[in-house]
Amino acid sequence: MGKSRGNTGRAHTSSATLDIGGHQVNITNPDKILFPEMGITKGRFMQELIRLSPYLLPACSGRFLTTIRYPDGVNGKFFYQKNAPEPTPPFVRTALSEGISYVVLNDIATLLWLGNLACIEYHPSLHKVDDPLPSEWIIDLDPSVEEEPRIMEAAVLVGEMLAQLGLRSVPKTSGATGVQIVIPIEHGPTFTQLKELGHVVAAYLCERNPGLFTIERFKKHRGTNIYIDYMQHDKGRTIAAPYTPRATRYASVSMPLTWEEVRLDPKPRDFHLLNAVDRLNTTGDLIQLEPKQRIEPVLAALSNQIAALQKRR
């Protein structure tokens, strides 16, 4: 990162310009408070974005990006940003999909430009811009209550079933209330195939744990059960990126975990902007470190089971 230019003679600057790899990024109102309970200003937020960038950028690179903006901080009004904000600097890459010009978050300059616009959350597509096939498989566990003490227990059960299928997985906190299970896969399966497999996994878990899981799509009918949202993994949809900040009072960050950590029942609030990078400097990127795996044998077994069932009818 190059030098900062602005009114540096004052204790509090209202604006500055950063030279990021030859690109000029304007920073306005760095003293504005974005996370009141944590005392995090926009300036500090952007500092942490820079420190998170070695982890957040690979999770978003080459994908259609949706952000959630909080111009007055996380306690204020917010809106989803799909179309690239105008004016869009020339260094920002965009990609068109269904009439929407999405930002493609590939570099620190673009990340800081978005951060200056108070884009707190980063939700990339589940596939690359130039590839209709999924880049990974994700099962989303969505609590039906605000504080769900069983969420890590539920995640362990999903992970154990995937292991029985011969699949390795990485759990991550959503950063809000849920947990997502990321299954790194080799390129090839379609979204439809993975949704069908997700349905089988979800239905089995619901049958074995009726007081814990549900696949009821309407929240009002779920009671207190945890929703296994296998439908969210689809083309055109998004999930909170690993390492994205979230607009919570704790300034939480979506954090990949080891299964050993999950069994210790951590809370999503344990991982936040003020400690995330220190942890990552020790653990590394748990998702990128997990080798991709072939899922075709599991899909073939599922197809054979469905065919056998149909013959019995």
Side-chain angles (χ1 to χ4, degrees), residues 58-219:
C60 296
S61 179
R63 305 184 188 222
F64 301 103
L65 182 71
T66 297
T67 62
I68 309 181
R69 292 175 62 180
Y70 290 77
D72 298 314
V74 298
N75 292 339
K77 294 181 179 180
F78 66 91
F79 60 95
Y80 287 79
Q81 182 86 58
K82 290 183 177 289
N83 271 300
E86 297 289 348
T88 307
F91 60 80
V92 173
R93 182 188 170 192
T94 60
L96 194 66
S97 176
E98 298 183 352
I100 297 173
S101 180
Y102 288 91
V103 170
V104 182
L105 179 53
N106 289 344
D107 52 65
I108 295 180
T110 301
L111 179 60
L112 291 183
W113 172 67
L114 291 169
N116 185 59
L117 295 174
C119 295
I120 302 294
E121 300 191 9
Y122 298 82
H123 297 245
S125 61
L126 298 165
H127 62 95
K128 298 284 188 171
V129 166
D130 56 357
D131 187 354
L133 296 178
S135 299
E136 61 279 303
W137 179 30
I138 299 177
I139 298 174
D140 188 18
L141 301 182
D142 184 12
S144 300
V145 296
E146 186 172 343
E147 294 286 341
E148 176 51 84
R150 304 171 298 169
I151 189 64
M152 294 299 168
E153 172 193 349
V156 167
L157 292 174
V158 177
E160 288 177 345
M161 182 175 178
L162 291 171
Q164 291 173 7
L165 295 173
L167 296 174
R168 301 182 311 276
S169 58
V170 181
K172 79 176 184 74
T173 66
S174 70
T177 58
V179 170
Q180 284 125 20
I181 315 298
V182 181
I183 304 96
I185 58 172
E186 292 184 2
H187 187 266
T190 66
F191 279 105
T192 297
Q193 288 176 307
L194 294 178
K195 278 195 298 181
E196 290 174 348
L197 180 55
H199 186 201
V200 171
V201 169
Y204 178 82
L205 287 167
C206 288
E207 182 179 343
R208 294 293 299 270
N209 307 275
L212 181 63
F213 291 116
T214 182
I215 53 174
E216 170 58 56
R217 296 188 67 185
F218 292 100
K219 191 169 185 177

Side-chain angles (χ1 to χ4, degrees), residues 221-257:
H221 297 149
R222 295 177 194 165
T224 61
N225 282 13
I226 296 169
Y227 178 45
I228 306 178
D229 190 358
Y230 65 91
M231 296 290 289
Q232 183 63 20
H233 190 265
D234 203 357
K235 192 174 187 294
R237 298 190 181 185
T238 65
I239 284 180
Y243 316 110
T244 180
R246 299 302 301 267
T248 65
R249 59 182 295 192
Y250 310 103
S252 50
V253 170
S254 178
M255 185 62 68
L257 307 171

